[in-house]
Amino acid sequence: MKRSVLAAAIGLALSAGGAPAQEFERNIMTGGPQGTYIKIGRDIAALGAECGLKLNVVESAGSLENFVGVRNRRNTQFGIVQSDVLEYLKTFEANDPEVQKAVKGVRIMFPLYNEEIHVLARKDISSMKDLAGKKIAVGKKDSGTFLTATLIMDILQVKAGERMDINPDEALPKLLSGEIDAFFYVAGAPASLFTGNAIDKAKFHLVPITEAPLLATYTPSRIEAGTYSFQDQPVDLIAVKAVMMTYDYDIKRNAYHRDSCKTVADFSSLIIGGLDKLRTTGHPKWKTVDLTALPPGWQVGVCVKAGMALDYKPSCKPNAGTTGGAGDENEEYLNLLKQRLQK
């Protein structure tokens, strides 16, 4: 994303407090229709629906668009992003005060799962340094793959001969046909793009990513042998943490901030309380979620911690289209009676 575009979008966000009042909604920015982010978002929305809290799941290009969405898009309290989005913005937007102010305002809701950084390339490209001078696809602008590829190549000081800003699903056929030499793809392994397409293991492989300078931002990982049909040996590489982000709402500011903070607290409570269910019935990546694995550089939001309190109760409502029956009314009566008799 060009600096002027990012700064302009965030500039609108910083003045959003004075925008006209609108009907309150809850939204989470996710990713493309076939990606993991949107499925995780739908799992979270399902938890909300059980509580009578509607959460709209919004498709997007990925991490950068989601970051700007939480900062700029009205009624958008959540976004799923890669944890290196902060490092990217601090590095490539370091001289823009509006962007840096925006970075200070975002907060982590919860750490989610690791996403492996795949670099699929011709067999003669044996290391990341060999990408120098090559024709490489780095993902669409605003996407997580784009920002990670850009940051990694900057850290390693590797300059491509030509960069193509196209999605991995567009890049794969170009690699197979010889139009490009390699492409980046950030996705939790096994990535469906690689499991659903025939890739000749005699011509292509995953490039190992083990360079020490990357370990200050990324986590060492490994894709085991046989994960993909073209991969006979384990591959050591790195992973980036997917995180659910929010904003540091100020309940003293206005009604919108109060309602948004309550939404964040409600879903914080719902996710913690429903984590076992998510691991059982949600996307398989929920099984790898470790809520203690906070990535460096991220701060937990005040509204998030409010919902984590032991005595916090989400503001659940009857589901749309349902009405309380006599049983519900009697249950309320019995609960009130129990509380009075205990005095």
Side-chain angles (χ1 to χ4, degrees):
M1 180 181 290
K2 293 181 180 179
R3 175 171 297 163
S4 59
V5 177
L6 182 62
I10 291 174
L12 289 174
L14 297 177
S15 62
Q22 300 177 19
E23 182 180 353
F24 186 77
E25 294 180 359
R26 306 172 189 87
N27 291 279
I28 180 170
M29 300 283 288
T30 57
Q34 303 303 318
T36 303
Y37 283 6
I38 199 165
K39 296 177 178 67
I40 294 292
R42 287 169 181 162
D43 289 339
I44 295 169
L47 280 182
E50 292 177 6
C51 182
L53 300 176
K54 183 180 179 182
L55 177 67
N56 300 311
V57 179
V58 181
E59 291 185 20
S60 76
S63 289
L64 278 177
E65 184 177 349
N66 296 351
F67 175 89
V68 174
V70 172
R71 295 295 287 114
N72 175 40
R73 195 174 182 272
R74 188 77 177 175
N75 295 321
T76 300
Q77 298 84 10
F78 310 112
I80 301 177
V81 302
Q82 292 169 194
S83 59
D84 58 351
V85 67
L86 291 186
E87 188 64 31
Y88 175 90
L89 293 173
K90 289 175 183 177
T91 300
F92 291 96
E93 307 292 341
N95 297 322
D96 194 308
E98 285 188 335
V99 173
Q100 295 309 311
K101 185 176 180 180
V103 167
K104 291 180 181 178
V106 300
R107 294 290 182 265
I108 190 170
M109 180 91 169
F110 292 118
L112 295 174
Y113 53 88
N114 283 341
E115 297 180 282
E116 284 73 23
I117 298 169
H118 302 72
V119 178
L120 187 66
R122 299 193 326 257
K123 269 290 186 70
D124 60 300
I125 297 175
S126 60
S127 71
M128 296 296 288
K129 293 291 186 182
D130 293 338
L131 293 175
K134 301 299 192 296
K135 193 172 183 178
I136 306 167
V138 295
K140 278 275 179 98
K141 286 188 177 180
D142 299 357
S143 72
T145 292
F146 174 84
L147 75 88
T148 296
T150 301
L151 189 56
I152 285 176
M153 294 179 73
D154 181 74
I155 292 171
L156 297 179
Q157 293 296 293
V158 172
K159 187 174 181 179
E162 182 179 347
R163 287 170 52 118
M164 295 186 68
D165 300 342
I166 58 174
N167 281 331
D169 57 351
E170 299 174 79
L172 178 57
K174 291 185 181 297
L175 175 67
L176 299 182
S177 67
E179 295 178 62
I180 62 175
D181 302 305
F183 71 91
F184 281 77
Y185 185 30
V186 179
S192 58
L193 179 66
F194 297 147
T195 58
N197 291 278
I199 298 172
D200 188 348
K201 63 183 178 182
K203 297 180 179 179
F204 307 102
H205 73 142
L206 291 174
V207 179
I209 310 175
T210 57
E211 288 79 2
L214 298 174
L215 299 182
T217 304
Y218 300 100
T219 302
S221 188
R222 170 177 284 197
I223 296 181
E224 298 297 341
T227 300
Y228 303 115
S229 61
F230 61 87
Q231 179 206 348
D232 293 332
Q233 301 296 324
V235 181
D236 290 321
L237 35 71
I238 54 177
V240 62
K241 182 76 71 178
V243 305
M244 185 174 175
M245 66 168 280
T246 184
Y247 178 67
D248 200 22
Y249 294 106
D250 181 359
I251 61 173
K252 297 178 181 179
R253 184 170 177 180
N254 55 38
Y256 173 74
H257 273 247
R258 287 192 293 275
D259 289 341
S260 291
C261 187
K262 186 69 170 66
T263 289
V264 172
D266 283 349
F267 276 87
S268 172
S269 179
L270 290 173
I271 290 171
I272 291 176
L275 191 57
D276 287 342
K277 181 173 184 177
L278 290 169
R279 287 171 173 159
T280 302
T281 63
H283 188 279
K285 275 294 184 181
W286 283 108
K287 294 182 174 66
T288 68
V289 169
D290 178 3
L291 298 184
T292 69
L294 293 170
W298 287 85
Q299 296 179 13
V300 179
V302 173
C303 304
V304 176
K305 289 184 279 190
M308 296 173 67
L310 289 175
D311 59 350
Y312 187 88
K313 295 187 182 301
S315 300
C316 292
K317 305 171 183 176
N319 286 325
T322 63
T323 57
D328 297 325
E329 295 173 358
N330 289 345
E331 183 176 357
E332 181 183 7
Y333 161 81
L334 292 171
N335 285 334
L336 290 170
L337 183 63
K338 182 178 179 180
Q339 293 172 22
R340 292 297 297 271
L341 292 177
Q342 286 177 344
K343 293 185 177 180

